[in-house]
């Protein structure tokens, strides 16, 4: 199942971010406006209540309140949303302004909530909010005022907030509309911008689709590629370079393996055909079987080497590292090859000492492969030296033999699989026939140890050097 479009996902993310920002800013503006409007209305209510109380304090009795009703009501005239009511201690209405039949539903909650006594100053904290007819919000306050005859009246100043309701509702609707329109605009613009920004990525995908087994030489080339994709393009090109090199090496390796396995198989088939061409003696058949056995052993060694290389390249190949005394291990390998060296007419000497962190079995196998190779290519009467030399950062294990010089151009390839610097050397009589994989195994073993293997050759000797990192 195809995944979501990256362009659409990013565009939705930008649109969501935009609407979130709009919602935050709009909420802040809305509540700021609501607070400012409420503050202005509260100031107007408090001012009207203070003036009305001051005028009431100058009156002598409740009758004077009725008689000077116009003077008191003048404090709220000019604002149709302000209402006033004055009641005596018996809850008798002395005067009212802008209060319809729902007076009780509007006044009673304000009086019951909090009434400012004559001795207290009227402030915004005395303002309460009620509902007229259970729907329209009303803000106001109730305050006592003392008349000259000692009686007390209650002044109620209230403001109908329905106009503010409508104002804030319209403002909120505009915020919603602007936010939705901004979200759509942000989505469309983000989609177009992201779609255009991802064009190099689509070009990269198109180039990658052209890379096949037959076109591993193709490389990613994007004109005016953004810096963020430059590292990706470089990594992909490096990966293609490695794949092309690996595929080429694998093809060459397969061809070399087929070629090298064809020789012993052809020898087996040829010797059997010759033996079966006519009746032969038991001695002749025995000789044929011995020859076939040698070829089978050669095939077995080749297959074993190939399997080792395949296992060693696996990431989970297990090694058992420990501290190894190089002198003792070199001496052990030299003793093992003593009989083969005597048959070849060469002498093996061990010198030097040192310790390395290595797998003992793999260490012996690497040195054994180098020593077997040296025995095959050392003329009779010469010597081979195995030495270990500790250095500042690494321990060098060297297998040096006196023999023909290897061409400098071949030194870099002697560790390649099935490579032979001189085909004629393959037929050297000393030791078992080479499979062409011994030095490749040596290099693989050194890579497993984090070291390296290389060769040096001059007229005096040829030296194969294993460089182990110092512990």
């Amino acid at each position: 199942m195809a995944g979501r479009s990256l362009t659409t996902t990013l565009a939705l993310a930008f649109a969501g971010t935009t609407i979130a920002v709009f919602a935050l800013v709009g909420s802040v503006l809305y509540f700021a406006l609501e607070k400012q409007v409420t503050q202005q209305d509260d100031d107007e209510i408090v001012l009207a209540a203070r003036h009305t109380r001051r005028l009431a304090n100058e009156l002598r009795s409740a009758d004077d309140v009725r008689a000077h009703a116009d003077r008191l009501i003048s404090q709220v005239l000019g604002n149709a949303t302000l209402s006033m009511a004055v009641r005596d201690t018996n809850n008798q209405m002395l005067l009212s302004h802008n209060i319809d039949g729902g007076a009780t539903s509007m006044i009673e909650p304000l009086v019951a909530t909090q009434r400012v006594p004559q001795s207290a100053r009227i402030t915004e904290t005395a303002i309460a909010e009620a509902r007229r007819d259970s729907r329209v919000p009303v803000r106001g306050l109730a305050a006592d005022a003392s008349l000259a005859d000692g009686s007390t009246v209650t002044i109620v100043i209230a403001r109908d907030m329905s106009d503010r309701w409508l104002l804030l509702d319209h403002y909120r609707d505009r915020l919603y509309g602007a936010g939705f329109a901004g979200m759509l605009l942000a989505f469309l613009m983000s989609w177009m911008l992201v779609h255009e920004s991802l064009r190099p990525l689509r070009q990269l995908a198109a180039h990658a689709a052209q890379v096949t087994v037959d076109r591993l030489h193709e490389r990613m080339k994007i004109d005016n590629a953004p810096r963020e994709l430059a590292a990706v393009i470089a990594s992909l090109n490096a990966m293609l370079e490695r794949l092309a090199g690996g595929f080429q090496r694998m093809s060459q390796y397969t061809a070399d393996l087929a070629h090298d396995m064809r020789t012993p198989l052809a020898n087996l088939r040829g010797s059997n055909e010759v033996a079966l061409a006519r009746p032969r003696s038991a001695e002749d058949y025995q000789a044929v079987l011995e020859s076939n056995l040698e070829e089978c052993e050669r095939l077995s060694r080749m297959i074993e080497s190939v399997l080792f290389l395949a296992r060693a390249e696996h990431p989970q190949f297990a090694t058992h590292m420990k501290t190894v005394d190089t002198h003792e291990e070199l001496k052990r390998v030299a003793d093992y090859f003593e009989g083969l060296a005597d048959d070849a007419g060469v002498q093996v000497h061990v010198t030097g000492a040192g310790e390395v962190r290595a797998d003992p079995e793999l260490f012996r196998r690497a040195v054994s492969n180098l020593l077997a190779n040296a025995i095959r290519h050392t003329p009779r009467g010469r010597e081979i030296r195995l030495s270990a030399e500790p250095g500042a950062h690494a321990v060098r294990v060297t297998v040096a033999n006196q023999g023909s010089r290897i061409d400098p151009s071949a030194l870099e390839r002697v560790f390649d699989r099935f490579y032979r610097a001189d085909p004629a050397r393959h037929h050297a009589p000393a030791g078992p026939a080479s499979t062409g994989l011994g030095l490749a195994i040596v290099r693989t073993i050194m890579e497993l140890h984090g070291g390296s293997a290389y060769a040096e050759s001059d007229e005096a000797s040829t030296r194969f050097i294993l460089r182990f990192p110092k512990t």
Side-chain angles (χ1 to χ4, degrees), residues 362-382:
L362 296 181
F363 180 88
R364 295 183 200 118
R365 183 163 191 172
V367 177
S368 296
N369 286 359
L370 293 179
L371 183 54
N373 183 70
I375 291 175
R376 279 195 298 271
H377 301 131
T378 302
R380 299 183 68 86
R382 302 295 181 88

Side-chain angles (χ1 to χ4, degrees), residues 251-263:
S251 300
Q252 184 64 38
Y253 171 62
T254 304
D256 292 341
L257 179 61
H259 179 272
D260 277 56
M261 294 188 71
R262 184 173 58 182
T263 300

Side-chain angles (χ1 to χ4, degrees), residues 74-92:
S74 66
Q75 302 303 314
V76 295
L77 287 177
N79 189 337
T81 61
L82 284 177
S83 302
M84 175 187 290
V86 179
R87 300 190 307 180
D88 59 16
T89 54
N90 297 321
N91 287 331
Q92 295 295 320

Side-chain angles (χ1 to χ4, degrees), residues 370-413:
L370 293 179
L371 183 54
N373 183 70
I375 291 175
R376 279 195 298 271
H377 301 131
T378 302
R380 299 183 68 86
R382 302 295 181 88
E383 66 177 14
I384 300 173
R385 290 190 175 274
L386 306 182
S387 62
E389 179 184 357
H393 304 290
V395 176
R396 288 163 39 111
V397 176
T398 305
V399 178
N401 69 291
Q402 298 173 341
S404 58
R405 177 174 177 267
I406 299 177
D407 188 85
S409 62
L411 287 176
E412 294 295 328
R413 299 189 58 194

Side-chain angles (χ1 to χ4, degrees), residues 42-63:
D42 289 350
D43 290 343
E44 191 174 9
I45 293 171
V46 169
L47 187 61
R50 288 176 179 174
H51 288 327
T52 303
R53 173 193 269 181
R54 180 176 56 78
L55 292 176
N57 292 151
E58 298 175 356
L59 300 177
R60 288 177 295 177
S61 64
D63 292 336

Side-chain angles (χ1 to χ4, degrees), residues 220-438:
M220 305 292 106
K221 296 180 181 179
I222 306 299
D223 297 332
N224 300 322
R227 287 178 295 179
E228 291 78 5
L229 281 182
V232 176
I233 295 173
S235 298
L236 286 176
N237 287 334
M239 179 188 69
L240 289 175
E241 191 73 31
R242 293 192 298 270
L243 288 176
F247 188 79
Q248 183 178 3
R249 288 192 299 271
M250 182 177 293
S251 300
Q252 184 64 38
Y253 171 62
T254 304
D256 292 341
L257 179 61
H259 179 272
D260 277 56
M261 294 188 71
R262 184 173 58 182
T263 300
L265 289 174
N267 292 341
L268 285 171
R269 180 176 180 178
S271 61
N272 288 336
E273 289 177 347
V274 170
L276 295 174
R278 60 181 177 83
R280 298 182 181 276
S281 64
E283 290 78 7
D284 291 338
Y285 285 122
Q286 184 176 359
V288 171
L289 291 176
E290 290 177 353
S291 176
N292 289 348
L293 182 60
E294 291 180 358
E295 296 299 335
C296 287
E297 290 177 351
R298 180 181 175 189
L299 281 173
S300 178
R301 290 195 306 273
M302 186 180 299
I303 293 172
E304 181 185 358
S305 299
V306 170
L307 290 176
F308 174 81
L309 290 172
R311 289 194 300 268
E313 290 178 351
H314 197 277
Q316 297 180 347
F317 183 79
T319 56
H320 305 282
M321 300 292 186
K322 58 178 64 176
T323 302
V324 174
D325 188 313
T326 56
H327 182 82
E328 290 184 3
E329 294 297 334
L330 293 178
K331 192 71 171 65
R332 181 179 299 179
V333 173
D335 292 342
Y336 179 80
F337 279 87
E338 183 177 0
L340 186 60
D342 290 342
D343 292 341
V346 298
Q347 295 182 348
V348 180
H349 299 285
V350 177
T351 61
E355 290 184 346
V356 296
R357 183 79 176 170
D359 185 314
E361 293 296 331
L362 296 181
F363 180 88
R364 295 183 200 118
R365 183 163 191 172
V367 177
S368 296
N369 286 359
L370 293 179
L371 183 54
N373 183 70
I375 291 175
R376 279 195 298 271
H377 301 131
T378 302
R380 299 183 68 86
R382 302 295 181 88
E383 66 177 14
I384 300 173
R385 290 190 175 274
L386 306 182
S387 62
E389 179 184 357
H393 304 290
V395 176
R396 288 163 39 111
V397 176
T398 305
V399 178
N401 69 291
Q402 298 173 341
S404 58
R405 177 174 177 267
I406 299 177
D407 188 85
S409 62
L411 287 176
E412 294 295 328
R413 299 189 58 194
V414 291
F415 291 96
D416 293 345
R417 298 173 183 181
F418 298 108
Y419 179 79
R420 298 182 181 88
D422 183 1
R425 296 161 65 93
H426 171 62
H427 302 287
S434 170
T435 62
L437 294 171

